[in-house]
Amino acid sequence: MRALDEYELTKHYECWYDDIGLISETGANQTRWGIPWYLVNPAPGKFRFDWLDRVVDRFEEIGVDVIVDLMHYGTPLWLDNGFLNTDYPKYVAEYAATVAQRYQNRLNIWTPLNEPLLNMMYCGQYGYWPPYLVGDDGFVKLFRQITKGMILTQQAISEVSPESTFVNVEASFRFAGDVDAYSDEVGFLKQRRFLVEDTIMGRMNSNHPLYGWLSKHGIQDDDFQWYLDNSIKPDVIGVNYYPQVSTVKYVAGDPHDGSPYDPLPFQNDGVEGLKDVLTLFSERYELPVYLTETCSPGPVEERIRWLHESVAAVDELRAEGMNLIGYTWWSLFDMMYWVYRDEDKPAEQYLAQMGLWDLRANDHLSFDRIRTAAVDEYRRLVEAHRK
């Protein structure tokens, strides 16, 4: 198994200055960008900011506000057992507060942890990522640690940087096809997609549909009380939606074991799916919502098509009165598919064509950023909306 550091594999550590410059070429006034925790906090209680200082300077130079991802998958290797480490919530909050204090009045928009449900599923339910737990008990163990870490992170940042804004970002899950044939499973999953936000916002009480399930799998009375006593409220709900994979399609009679190795098929519901998930989160929490990730991997013309369709859908929802405050094409340039970790082929064979810029390998150690027509389309849409 190989380490998967997207910044290293895509040469962002080498090209960061120019990469940040690419953001300004899109015309965007805001971007999501993640801090590699392990690089900034290489050992317990030790921090180094030489590289991050220069990155923050560069963002200020181009005049783009940063939604800072403090955790975009992966804990430092010194944190034994990762999320399961008893002190994980304390360590992640310490890291977050140290960063927030250093860059007070320069960085002030924070995402405590990207897509918490996917972390719980891949690390705790499917045994796909460290610490490789499986089943409902494993999921709930990860749930306890991750949600407490998110709460302590927001509390710690607010203490040292009261002007901060918090954008909680969650993956979206939809269900289509023969859902009646799997009514119990689908009913449960429809509730679980809101589990994290419901819990951290103090909605997890004995009346909640998942209270009994959490109790059955290890959440104790004092845990429930802790969540109620320490509830937080983000300023914005971020929703990630990918038309190819956000809607699971059930087919009656097809057995499946619920693992990523035996996945159900997906159904592309396009803009209707996008509108659905944004509406669900907006109505449930009555907070501003932000489309924090979307794209359509594949040929450039397919990316441009989805860019126009998704932006038009956002415009329609705004016209209908939704407090929808932002749009993000993820990512700026191509990324590596996650299966890179488990295989041994050259890195360029794992490129996901999804960016406004394409990556093309000129040898096994270097990638060029190749401008595509999608960049100009993105900028044209940005300029049109500003008018």
Side-chain angles (χ1 to χ4, degrees):
M1 184 171 293
R2 299 182 286 188
L4 175 57
D5 183 334
E6 293 279 356
Y7 285 0
E8 179 180 359
L9 291 172
T10 60
K11 305 303 174 185
H12 182 59
Y13 289 128
E14 298 175 16
C15 304
W16 63 269
Y17 186 90
D18 291 334
D19 286 347
I20 293 173
L22 299 181
I23 297 171
S24 64
E25 291 191 39
T26 69
N29 59 6
Q30 199 167 71
T31 189
R32 292 185 66 200
W33 184 85
I35 297 175
W37 178 7
Y38 79 93
L39 191 68
V40 171
N41 186 191
K46 295 184 179 180
F47 293 87
R48 54 175 297 181
F49 293 102
D50 48 339
W51 179 68
L52 188 55
D53 283 347
R54 290 181 288 153
V55 170
V56 174
D57 289 344
R58 179 61 168 150
F59 275 119
E60 288 191 327
E61 181 182 327
I62 68 169
V64 171
D65 289 333
V66 185
I67 302 174
V68 181
D69 268 3
L70 289 161
M71 278 280 291
H72 202 110
Y73 300 125
T75 55
L77 293 179
W78 54 258
L79 190 64
D80 293 339
N81 294 321
F83 289 121
L84 285 187
N85 189 295
T86 302
D87 291 326
Y88 161 76
K90 179 191 75 173
Y91 278 126
V92 73
E94 177 190 42
Y95 146 66
T98 303
V99 171
Q101 188 165 39
R102 183 174 185 86
Y103 301 109
Q104 191 173 11
N105 300 319
R106 301 180 71 195
L107 299 177
N108 56 21
I109 311 174
W110 309 96
T111 293
L113 186 141
N114 177 68
E115 297 184 332
L117 267 183
L118 279 185
N119 281 273
M120 296 168 196
M121 292 163 60
Y122 277 57
C123 298
Q125 181 181 7
Y126 299 145
Y128 190 43
W129 294 342
Y132 307 111
L133 301 187
V134 295
D136 289 345
D137 284 355
F139 179 97
V140 173
K141 285 184 173 69
L142 268 292
F143 161 82
R144 178 194 286 113
Q145 293 291 91
I146 286 174
T147 50
K148 289 189 175 182
M150 292 173 68
I151 290 171
L152 292 183
T153 291
Q154 180 164 331
Q155 290 175 342
I157 291 176
S158 296
E159 185 173 341
V160 301
S161 183
E163 73 282 1
S164 290
T165 296
F166 297 92
V167 181
N168 278 16
V169 175
E170 187 59 278
S172 59
F173 297 87
R174 300 181 70 253
F175 311 96
D178 299 321
V179 293
D180 290 342
Y182 300 88
S183 57
D184 289 345
E185 177 178 336
V186 172
F188 168 76
L189 293 176
K190 283 184 175 181
Q191 294 293 335
R192 197 183 70 170
R193 61 186 168 184
F194 302 117
L195 176 62
V196 173
E197 286 70 33
D198 282 1
T199 300
I200 66 175
M201 290 191 220
R203 298 184 177 200
M204 184 51 66
N205 55 39
S206 58
N207 295 319
H208 194 282
L210 298 186
Y211 183 93
W213 178 78
L214 288 173
S215 180
K216 176 182 177 181
H217 293 287
I219 299 300
Q220 305 295 317
D221 289 345
D222 57 348
D223 293 314
F224 286 118
Q225 190 60 50
W226 188 90
Y227 287 124
L228 294 175
D229 293 342
N230 290 276
S231 63
I232 57 173
K233 187 176 182 180
D235 300 284
V236 178
I237 297 292
V239 182
N240 295 348
Y241 174 83
Y242 294 94
Q244 287 88 349
V245 297
S246 289
T247 303
V248 171
K249 182 179 181 180
Y250 283 84
V251 179
D254 281 5
H256 68 95
D257 64 12
S259 80
Y261 302 104
D262 181 25
L264 287 164
F266 296 107
Q267 176 173 304
N268 187 339
D269 281 343
V271 295
E272 294 309 311
L274 174 60
K275 291 179 181 179
D276 180 44
V277 295
L278 289 169
T279 300
L280 285 169
F281 279 91
S282 175
E283 292 181 348
R284 189 177 186 91
Y285 297 111
E286 298 182 322
L287 290 170
V289 291
Y290 198 128
L291 180 54
T292 38
E293 290 182 27
T294 195
C295 80
S296 182
V300 174
E301 57 268 23
E302 173 62 21
R303 288 175 247 173
I304 291 174
R305 183 192 64 78
W306 178 245
L307 173 62
H308 282 276
E309 290 181 359
S310 56
V311 169
V314 166
D315 287 342
E316 290 175 18
L317 290 173
R318 284 174 166 169
E320 293 167 4
M322 183 180 293
N323 191 7
L324 176 50
I325 65 172
Y327 175 101
T328 308
W329 184 275
W330 186 275
S331 57
L332 182 68
F333 48 76
D334 301 335
M335 58 169 275
M336 296 290 173
Y337 284 118
W338 294 340
V339 292
Y340 168 88
R341 296 177 66 248
D342 304 309
E343 300 178 358
D344 58 2
K345 299 173 185 176
E348 58 265 27
Q349 296 190 28
Y350 297 92
L351 279 175
Q353 290 184 301
M354 60 191 297
L356 302 179
W357 273 263
D358 283 345
L359 294 184
R360 290 291 182 270
N362 53 39
D363 56 48
H364 287 297
L365 300 175
S366 182
F367 286 106
D368 290 329
R369 276 72 170 141
I370 307 299
R371 187 184 186 94
T372 73
V375 182
D376 298 321
E377 287 297 312
Y378 195 97
R379 185 176 186 92
R380 188 181 69 78
L381 286 171
V382 168
E383 291 174 349
H385 281 74
R386 286 183 179 161
K387 293 177 182 178

